[in-house]
Amino acid sequence: MAVIGIMSAMHEELAAVLAAMPDEQRVTVAGRDFWVGHWQGHAVVAVLSRIGKVAAATTATALIERFGVGQIVFTGVAGGLGPGVKVGDVVLARSLVQHDMDASPLFPRHEVPLYGRSRFETDTGLSDSLQRAVQAVLADVQQHVGPEAVTEFALQSVRLHEGLIASGDRFVSSTAECRYLQQALPEALAVEMEGAAVAQVCADYGLPFAALRTISDRADDDAHADFSRFIRAVASRYSVAMLSQWLKSL
Ligand code: SAH
């Protein structure tokens, strides 16, 4: 099988992935550390995406050009936008859009100039196989994060959502901006800062892409106080459990 590229948005997630790889070797390209090795018997290259669209696009391009990965899976956290998309839920992207792309009136709002479209779809087969892994992990969250985190972050009835993710170079943390995005892109389930850029790079190279995001906040005025504790106690544990389960199933 082709080498699998795993992009993590947060340091803590990458650390959890590296702890699960028995043999990773560091290779530095473009100021980024790429970790080449195996996980569940599959050849993988794990890397921190870095934050924002350009940084993530450079990381994805290096994964493809220098490491020859045949598919990319992205994991990270995101702000919930859709109704009922709450902290601790997971969003599996079926398509992505850049919410801050606006070359109007030359091109329709959100359309990426010269691509003739605003949405970039994820790979159906890859996303379907990840969906099964996510469902398995969410069915028993406590096993992965422990009972304290379940209580602290109210993870009693977490669920998986599938659909549109919006990406842009802004950390959305005000109710006003959250409402604005909900109006501009009513189907968007979540907002983050990298996914649509990586989806575009993968479309350019004809590479299968999938993206999973754990909801860390509601992208509003009360983005919860302890973002980094949530990443450590919940999001990085979900990511490693979901990826590991998925790799085992291949
Ligand atoms: N304050 C954080 C900043 C992390 S940047 C820190 O101390 O590290 C935010 C990361 O989380 C990005 O990778 C982005 O994709 C994602 N993210 C989570 N919630 C978001 C939101 N409400 N708006 C935009 N990006 C969000």
Side-chain angles (χ1 to χ4, degrees), residues 213-228:
R213 294 276 182 167
T214 299
I215 300 304
S216 55
D217 57 275
R218 276 292 306 176
D220 59 10
D221 295 336
D222 16 82
H224 67 82
D226 210 340
F227 189 78
S228 48

Side-chain angles (χ1 to χ4, degrees), residues 9 51 77-79 170-172 191-194 213 216-217 219 227:
I51 293 172
V77 291
R170 240 181 347 254
F171 188 81
V172 178
V191 59
E192 39 86 313
M193 302 175 69
E194 300 85 16
R213 294 276 182 167
S216 55
D217 57 275
F227 189 78

